[in-house]
């Protein structure tokens, strides 16, 4: 998009005079909005809210306590993507980083198959891969289980913290306090579930567009939303069609369906959300670490350190409205996951300011 076209679209967005709440539910969008200074380009009535789109951030504290216990007390080797390492549990001293300092085996991996390789090389240990993320990262976890099966490994497990986007978007739309008028739908998830995966939004009086992550792609997404709001249209729009197909990625959908089923799951700040988690099907339970060491959910929301990540994730407060923001909580010394994660709303606000 050339600069004149970009300017024209921004002017059009700003010509909308009513207050409008537009939520993004994707950590990559949160970072893109900050990085490109998109808030600073928009009129103050165009209110961009960040929702529960960061996978690390939505994982509740008591899961971190559980993983810490697996590493420190249950002699498990934990294989994880990098962002999870510094996330604190119910107490600030509980984290995988701290577990590692105590001598526990915590390895950072770049793919789920690296975790299978670790299991193959450490047959005397239970190797637990932390499955985290939305529909986008669930297929690689399924592929890891498939590979462990193929290799006949008895020491490979997963902890599935994978989440479904639809139930939580419904929950947010039904929250009367939030009053969401439009969603900027997550481009990565849309690659998997397709345009059709967001059709449910048409049941609500809500505009929605699927957008990419570059400056012009986000502006295109917002432009499409304002067009719809002006014309009272609530048909889902796909402005990321070079990447997102109407039906999504059928192969990825079928591998999710083969290995996982939807169950009620816990989210930070949102509690137990019906059918919102991907859990391994019964026939693959030998790979489910929760079958070996059940998780205690009674610690949900036990944290009392002033962190308001739960409110930030619901879009009820902006990151800099948390009283610890920049005063006790910073990327160097994070109190909550939204400041730890490279896709967290607090980290984005800290790095880029309110722009
Ligand atoms: Fe939690 Fe820090 Fe964000 Fe406050 S600024 S909500 S303490 S992560």
């Amino acid at each position: 998009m050339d600069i004149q076209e970009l300017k024209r679209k921004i002017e059009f967005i700003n010509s909308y005079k009513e207050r409008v709440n537009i939520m993004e539910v994707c950590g990559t969008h949160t970072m893109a909005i900050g990085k490109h200074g998109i808030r600073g380009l928009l009129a103050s009535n165009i209110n961009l809210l960040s929702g529960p789109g960061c996978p690390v951030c939505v994982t509740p504290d008591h899961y971190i306590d559980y993983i810490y216990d697996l590493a420190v007390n249950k002699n498990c080797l934990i294989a994880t993507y990098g962002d999870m390492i510094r996330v604190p549990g119910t107490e600030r001293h509980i984290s995988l980083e701290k577990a590692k300092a105590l001598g526990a085996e915590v390895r950072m991996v770049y793919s789920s198959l690296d975790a299978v390789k670790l299991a193959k090389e450490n047959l005397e240990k239970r190797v637990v891969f932390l499955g985290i993320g939305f529909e986008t990262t669930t297929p690689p976890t399924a592929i890891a289980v498939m590979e462990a099966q193929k290799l006949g490994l008895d020491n490979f497990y997963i902890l599935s913290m994978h989440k479904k986007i639809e139930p939580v978007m419904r929950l947010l739309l039904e929250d009367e306090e939030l009053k969401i008028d439009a969603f900027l739908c997550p481009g990565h998830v849309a690659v998997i579930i397709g345009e059709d995966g967001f059709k449910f939004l048409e049941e609500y009086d809500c505009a929605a567009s699927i957008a990419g992550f570059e400056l012009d792609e986000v502006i295109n997404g917002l432009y499409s939303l304002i067009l719809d709001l002006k014309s009272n249209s609530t048909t889902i729009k796909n402005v990321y069609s070079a990447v997102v197909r109407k039906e999504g990625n059928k192969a990825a959908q079928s591998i999710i369906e083969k290995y996982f089923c939807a169950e009620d799951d816990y989210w930070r700040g949102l509690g137990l959300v019906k059918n919102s988690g991907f859990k391994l099907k019964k026939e693959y339970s030998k790979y489910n670490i929760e079958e070996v060491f059940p998780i205690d959910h009674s610690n949900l929301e036990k944290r009392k350190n002033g962190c308001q990540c739960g409110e930030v994730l619901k879009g009820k407060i902006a990151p800099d409205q948390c009283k610890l923001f920049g005063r006790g909580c910073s990327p160097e010394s994070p109190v909550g996951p939204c400041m730890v994660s490279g896709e967290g709303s607090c980290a984005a606000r800290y790095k880029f300011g309110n722009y």
Side-chain angles (χ1 to χ4, degrees), residues 163-179:
K163 304 273 190 273
K164 285 188 75 163
I165 202 78
E166 178 180 335
V168 78
M169 288 176 86
R170 284 186 184 271
L171 191 86
L172 293 165
L173 280 167
E174 286 158 16
D175 185 325
E176 285 178 13
E177 208 187 309
L178 268 178
K179 296 192 188 348

Side-chain angles (χ1 to χ4, degrees), residues 223-236:
Y223 175 82
S224 160
L225 290 175
I226 298 298
L227 260 180
D228 280 358
L229 286 165
K230 284 190 172 185
S231 60
N232 289 322
S233 164
T234 53
T235 312
I236 173 99

Side-chain angles (χ1 to χ4, degrees), residues 195-214:
E195 206 178 306
D196 291 345
F198 292 98
K199 279 276 171 208
F200 69 92
L201 289 171
E202 292 176 7
E203 295 167 30
Y204 299 85
D205 190 18
C206 166
S209 69
I210 299 167
F213 304 96
E214 296 304 325

Side-chain angles (χ1 to χ4, degrees), residues 78-95:
I78 305 294
T80 178
Y81 297 132
D83 267 3
M84 284 294 276
I85 304 251
R86 293 180 69 214
V87 178
T90 53
E91 308 281 343
R92 217 165 168 174
H93 71 272
I94 299 176
S95 71

Side-chain angles (χ1 to χ4, degrees), residues 40-88:
L41 299 173
L42 303 179
S44 58
N45 58 309
I46 313 289
N47 187 27
L48 301 186
L49 299 166
S50 298
C54 158
V56 171
C57 308
V58 298
T59 304
D61 296 333
H62 71 294
Y63 270 83
I64 307 298
D65 289 11
Y66 172 76
I67 300 162
Y68 178 88
D69 184 54
L70 292 179
V72 173
N73 302 318
K74 305 290 195 299
N75 198 29
C76 295
L77 188 160
I78 305 294
T80 178
Y81 297 132
D83 267 3
M84 284 294 276
I85 304 251
R86 293 180 69 214
V87 178

